[in-house]
Every structure is written in C-alpha cells, then in structure tokens.
C-alpha cells in the first residue's frame, strides 16, 4: 500500500504506521510537529517501510493547508491508495466546560477540520478510481454520555459523515473504514483511570490493519467494545441520567 498518514507520531497511529512499515508499505507522514515527524519517518524506515518516508506539515485545525499537504504527499508518493487519519484531540468534559477556547478548538479539529481533510483526500482517491480512507472516530460518538458530551458530539458527527461516505462512494471504489476505539492506553488517555477492557495500541493497530485490508466499514477496537456499546446504546434515558459513564 501507499499510505498518507495524519497522526503517526504518537499512540495508536504510531503503532499502526509501524505495522505498515514492518510489512513493507510505503508511507508519507503529515502532522504538526516537524521534528516529531522526522523522528517518526526515520523510525519507520528502519522498521522496513518501502523507500524513503517523506513528511510535510499539516494541522487538522487549519483546512487552508490541506491541499498543499496533499500535493506534497502526491509528489513523494504518486498515486497513493490509502489515507489514514488517527490525528485528533481529547480533553476531559470538566476541562472543556472550564475553557471555551479549548472546546472550540477540539470541536473544530475533531469534526470540521477532520471532515474537510477527508473531503480533500477522498476527492483525490476517487479521481483515480478509489482507494481506502481509514479514519479514527470513537465509541464516545455512539451515545450521549456525561463524561464526553463535547468530544462525543464531535465524534458522532464524524462517524455519521464516514458512514454516509461509505454509502455514497463504495460502489465507485472508495472504501471508508471508520475505527471506533474504546479506551486505549496512549498519551491521549494518560492520567485517566483505565476502565475494564482498556486496550494497548499494538493489538488495536493489528486489528485496524486487518480491517483496512478487508475494507471493513466499521471496526471496534479492542473488539470487546462492540459488546459494551451494544449494552450502553440499549440503556434507557432514566438509567443514563443516573450513571456516571
Ligand atoms: N486512546 C483512546 O482511548 C481513544 C479512544 C477513542 C478514540 N480515540 C481516537 O483515536 C485517535 C488516536 O488516538 P491516540 O490515543 O493514539 O492519541 P494520541 O496518542 O494523543 O495521538 C494523537 C496524534 O494526533 C496528532 N494530532 C493531534 N492534533 C492534531 C492536529 N490538529 N493536526 C494533526 N495531527 C494532530 C498528534 O500529534 P501532535 O500532538 O504531536 O501534533 C498525535 O500524533 C484519535 O482520533 C482519538 O480521538 C482514542
């Protein structure tokens, strides 16, 4: 695969990019921190990525830079067939309620910016007959819940967008893979108390790569979260008002 990757410098994205490198995929990295991107690129080359791993700046909060970033990717990796977006922001509901600017930034990056980046990427993929667009949403978007009111709302919108893309463009060759992680131990969740069924980035990455290869439209990871969310989705409102999760 020829993969353009936003968010490969940390957490689940880093684990997924390493899985891809280990089997000889070609990669091009987009992100905010040039030094981090360079470090990650060299790491992926050592781990077996095919050819040189290029990098270019791209902030999911700044849509005006998306075309330039994808042009750089196209020049280094002509005809790329896969775009992965693991980049995203998280903050606790308490922090977001206390800081409207942070709330605005999270809603903008996790919904508007990510959707606009996907729009730019999917147009390029469709123009050459299709490919795979794999984007990380969250189980937080599955049900309105007290601890993730704003983050969950952004991810719910993102999941709905990805579902509709899959409905509209699958027949034209675009495979949309929406990943819904449960709690995974990464820098994003540092300092939070892990719930039961918390996962590690490496097995999650393996599961996501298998989903990309198969073109699975929705993947829960770790898999147990599919069952957990089935139960949570079925709880009546009077229960959801009482519980803390
Ligand atoms: N970990 C979990 O429990 C969990 C659960 C549900 C969903 N998710 C979702 O899974 C994805 C990956 O999570 P993770 O735990 O691996 O997170 P992470 O360890 O915090 O890594 C996030 C990555 O996103 C990049 N990023 C953040 N803001 C960005 C922006 N504005 N533009 C471009 N890149 C940006 C970060 O790079 P820099 O910050 O260095 O720029 C980093 O590479 C996220 O979308 C997250 O919402 C995670």
């Amino acid at each position: 695969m020829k993969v353009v990757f936003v968010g490969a410098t940390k957490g689940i994205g880093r684990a997924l990019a390493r899985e891809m490198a280990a089997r000889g995929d070609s990669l091009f990295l987009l992100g905010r921190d040039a030094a981090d991107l360079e470090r990650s690129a060299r790491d992926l080359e050592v781990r077996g990525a095919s050819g040189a791993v290029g990098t270019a700046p791209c902030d999911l909060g700044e849509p005006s830079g998306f075309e330039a970033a994808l042009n750089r990717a196209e020049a280094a990796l002509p005809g790329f067939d896969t775009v992965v977006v693991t980049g995203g922001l998280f903050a606790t509901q308490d922090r977001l309620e206390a800081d409207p600017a942070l709330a605005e930034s999270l809603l903008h990056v996790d919904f508007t910016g990510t959707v606009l980046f996907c729009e730019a990427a999917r147009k390029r993929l469709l123009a050459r007959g299709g490919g795979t667009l794999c984007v990380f949403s969250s189980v937080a978007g599955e049900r309105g819940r007290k601890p993730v009111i704003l983050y969950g709302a952004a991810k719910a919108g993102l999941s709905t967008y990805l579902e509709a893309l899959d409905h509209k463009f699958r027949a034209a060759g675009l495979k949309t893979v929406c990943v819904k992680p449960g709690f995974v131990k990464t820098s994003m969740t540092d300092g939070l108390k892990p719930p039961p069924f918390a996962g590690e980035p490496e097995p999650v990455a393996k599961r996501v790569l298998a989903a990309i290869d198969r073109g699975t439209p929705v993947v829960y990871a770790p898999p147990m979260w599919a069952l957990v969310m089935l139960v949570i989705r079925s709880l009546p409102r009077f229960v959801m008002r009482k519980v803390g999760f």
Side-chain angles (χ1 to χ4, degrees), residues 11-12 15 183-186 197-206 221-222:
I12 308 170
F183 190 105
V184 182
K185 295 176 198 159
T186 66
F197 318 121
E200 299 289 341
E202 291 74 19
V204 167
K206 284 189 168 51

Side-chain angles (χ1 to χ4, degrees), residues 138-145 148 180-184 194-199 207 219-236 239-240 243 245:
S138 173
V139 296
E142 296 266 289
R143 183 86 203 260
R145 291 189 292 121
V148 285
K180 297 184 178 181
F183 190 105
V184 182
F197 318 121
R207 183 167 167 80
V219 57
Y220 291 86
M224 182 53 125
W225 284 88
L227 191 58
V228 173
M229 294 319 295
L230 185 68
V231 173
I232 290 181
R233 280 198 309 274
S234 69
L235 293 175
V239 175
M240 293 303 288
V243 295
F245 56 79

Side-chain angles (χ1 to χ4, degrees), residues 84-159:
V84 178
V85 184
T86 62
L89 290 180
F90 174 80
T92 62
Q93 184 59 26
D94 285 348
R95 273 191 69 204
L96 293 170
E97 285 179 14
D99 185 346
L102 179 63
E104 184 177 354
S105 164
L106 180 142
L107 292 169
H108 179 64
V109 167
D110 286 354
F111 180 68
T112 307
T114 300
V115 167
L116 292 177
F117 181 84
C118 291
E119 282 295 281
R122 67 103 180 141
K123 282 177 191 159
R124 288 180 189 242
L125 293 173
L126 282 164
R128 48 177 163 264
T132 301
L133 178 62
C134 171
V135 185
F136 278 55
S137 184
S138 173
V139 296
E142 296 266 289
R143 183 86 203 260
R145 291 189 292 121
K146 293 174 187 174
V148 285
I149 295 174
L150 294 166
Y151 173 76
K155 292 294 193 178
L158 179 59
S159 296

